[in-house]
Amino acid sequence: MRKKLVAGNWKMHGSLAENAALLSALKPALAGIEAVVCVPFPYLAQAQAELTGSSIAWGAQNVCEEAKGAFTGEVSASMLLDFGCTYVIVGHSERRSLYGESDTLVARKYVAAQAAGLTPILCVGESLAERESGVTEAVVSRQLDAVIDAAGVASLAKAVIAYEPVWAIGTGKTASPEQAQAVHAFIRGRVAALDASVAGQLVIQYGGSVKAANAAELMAQPDIDGGLIGGASLVADEFVAICRAAAK
Ligand code: PGA
């Protein structure tokens, strides 16, 4: 059976004091439950200091596609490794839409993360206009295929996919468990057509307005293997409840 994995995406939130309070609430409450927090770059050292030895892993929300060099303002995968990261989010819809990250660039970031030994959490998902015009599967396929073409299907054995319908992110509109399950099954099927064993093991998280109140029904779907949690990951009780729902 696949393990379920819940990751928090703090986005550009937090401060040293707020993070300390959040992490000290999460640590005891999640003892023995595997979870991840993806924090802003400046707080990676704090995450490392607070979380080493706990069941909570940490990671970043973005990574440079290049290994080193004259790339002002960028952060490399090996730098993330220096701070004990095990995960990094790549291709979040906010990066794609607000910072113009293309499928090709996202695939390069995925490759750079894996080359350094990090597990990429690859985000895919359609906008509202795309869903309404019936191209959800085409969009998700295009985003997924860019990575498979660049890195091979076997690379997914060391990756996590997060299906995040853009219209459900931060809007309070969650995909229904059935809507989410349908896309998760589609993604797994597309991978299975290339490699059934990789598909069977692949962790596919759902993201988009997941909260304590809707986590259990989402996590009960056969192809939903956890969640990527934005807003609710900043509230200790909410995040803990979501992680516990996934661990059941
Ligand atoms: P949300 O964000 O849970 O606040 O909708 C999810 C995400 O963007 O990863």
Side-chain angles (χ1 to χ4, degrees):
M1 216 187 97
R2 288 183 297 275
K3 60 164 193 191
K4 285 197 166 44
L5 183 67
V6 174
N9 172 12
W10 288 7
K11 308 194 181 184
M12 199 172 71
H13 293 290
S15 66
L16 285 173
E18 286 168 1
N19 306 343
L22 178 55
L23 293 175
S24 64
L26 294 182
K27 266 190 296 183
L30 292 177
I33 299 180
E34 212 187 309
V36 184
V37 289
C38 293
V39 310
F41 292 134
Y43 300 128
L44 286 172
Q46 184 185 24
Q48 183 174 36
E50 297 282 340
L51 296 176
T52 297
S54 77
S55 64
I56 307 171
W58 58 97
Q61 302 165 14
N62 185 23
V63 65
C64 186
E65 69 282 9
E66 300 285 352
K68 61 154 69 174
F71 302 100
T72 301
E74 292 293 307
V75 174
S76 72
S78 67
M79 293 172 187
L80 300 183
L81 220 58
D82 265 349
F83 287 91
C85 290
T86 44
Y87 292 89
V88 61
I89 298 171
V90 298
H92 189 278
S93 63
E94 286 151 17
R95 303 282 333 157
R96 292 178 189 265
S97 68
L98 302 175
Y99 300 97
E101 292 191 7
S102 65
D103 293 331
T104 310
L105 180 62
V106 171
R108 292 185 64 204
K109 290 179 181 231
Y110 172 102
V111 168
Q114 282 195 334
L118 297 167
T119 300
I121 300 176
L122 169 70
C123 298
V124 298
E126 81 289 1
S127 67
L128 184 58
E130 289 164 340
R131 172 160 287 260
E132 286 175 345
S133 54
V135 295
T136 296
E137 292 185 352
V139 169
V140 168
S141 299
R142 193 198 70 222
Q143 294 169 334
L144 188 59
D145 291 356
V147 163
I148 295 176
D149 290 347
V153 68
S155 75
L156 291 171
K158 292 193 173 127
V160 169
I161 291 181
Y163 167 59
E164 299 203 309
V166 179
W167 48 273
I169 294 177
T171 57
K173 280 190 203 164
T174 323
S176 70
E178 295 73 26
Q179 279 174 321
Q181 165 58 26
V183 181
H184 281 237
F186 171 78
I187 292 170
R188 199 179 308 283
R190 192 161 180 96
V191 176
L194 300 171
D195 189 321
S197 117
V198 167
Q201 297 299 314
L202 180 61
V203 171
I204 309 177
Q205 298 174 324
Y206 169 77
S209 299
V210 179
K211 38 191 187 289
N214 59 23
E217 54 174 1
L218 286 161
M219 300 304 154
Q221 299 300 313
D223 288 293
I224 298 184
D225 309 313
L228 182 57
I229 318 301
S233 74
L234 300 170
V235 183
D237 290 350
E238 283 282 316
F239 191 63
V240 166
I242 295 165
C243 292
R244 288 191 179 148
K248 267 198 189 137

